[in-house]
Amino acid sequence: KYVELIVLDKVSSKTSQLKLEVGKQMTFQNLIIKVLRCNNSKFDDDPEVMAYMQVKDLNKINKDKVFIFNGWTFASSPSIKPFDHPVYDIWLKKCFS
């Protein structure tokens, strides 16, 4: 299984499309991104894409907080649990089996 993500660099206004294998981590700039699960719902006319994602920032050395994002994200509603970072935005696009 693979997941497709869009990453926006808010400083340069450049977007990058990432494709990574579910369960493996990828380093993008100073972020380590890992998607543990990715699902496409099978019962809706307009299927929902959801993924459980963990993101670490290599520039942050806060021993109390390992991940800057750790939770489910939804392609149709990224604002339900937004990825909050001063430089980057990450959006889920697709899941592939």
Side-chain angles (χ1 to χ4, degrees), residues 41-48:
S41 64
K42 299 176 177 115
F43 301 109
D44 299 327
D45 292 336
D46 186 21
E48 176 65 80

Side-chain angles (χ1 to χ4, degrees), residues 5-62:
L5 302 171
I6 303 293
V7 181
L8 168 67
D9 183 326
K10 298 177 197 176
V11 176
S12 68
S13 298
K14 291 185 180 181
T15 59
S16 300
Q17 189 167 327
L18 306 179
K19 188 176 178 183
L20 63 134
E21 190 175 343
V22 173
K24 300 212 173 164
Q25 68 182 31
M26 169 186 274
T27 302
F28 177 81
Q29 304 295 347
N30 60 315
L31 300 178
I32 296 176
I33 304 166
K34 185 175 184 178
V35 175
L36 299 174
R37 296 214 37 200
C38 193
N39 298 320
N40 296 309
S41 64
K42 299 176 177 115
F43 301 109
D44 299 327
D45 292 336
D46 186 21
E48 176 65 80
V49 179
M50 56 195 148
Y52 192 89
M53 182 170 63
Q54 296 176 326
V55 182
K56 294 179 186 178
D57 188 338
L58 296 173
N59 290 340
K60 294 198 180 231
I61 308 172
N62 182 351

Side-chain angles (χ1 to χ4, degrees), residues 49-96:
V49 179
M50 56 195 148
Y52 192 89
M53 182 170 63
Q54 296 176 326
V55 182
K56 294 179 186 178
D57 188 338
L58 296 173
N59 290 340
K60 294 198 180 231
I61 308 172
N62 182 351
K63 303 280 188 221
D64 296 330
K65 189 171 182 181
V66 176
F67 301 107
I68 57 169
F69 184 86
N70 185 20
W72 287 97
T73 185
F74 301 88
S76 67
S77 304
S79 62
I80 289 176
K81 187 171 181 185
F83 174 78
D84 187 27
H85 191 273
V87 179
Y88 301 105
D89 274 339
I90 298 178
W91 295 290
L92 173 63
K93 190 169 177 190
K94 294 181 189 174
C95 292
F96 301 97

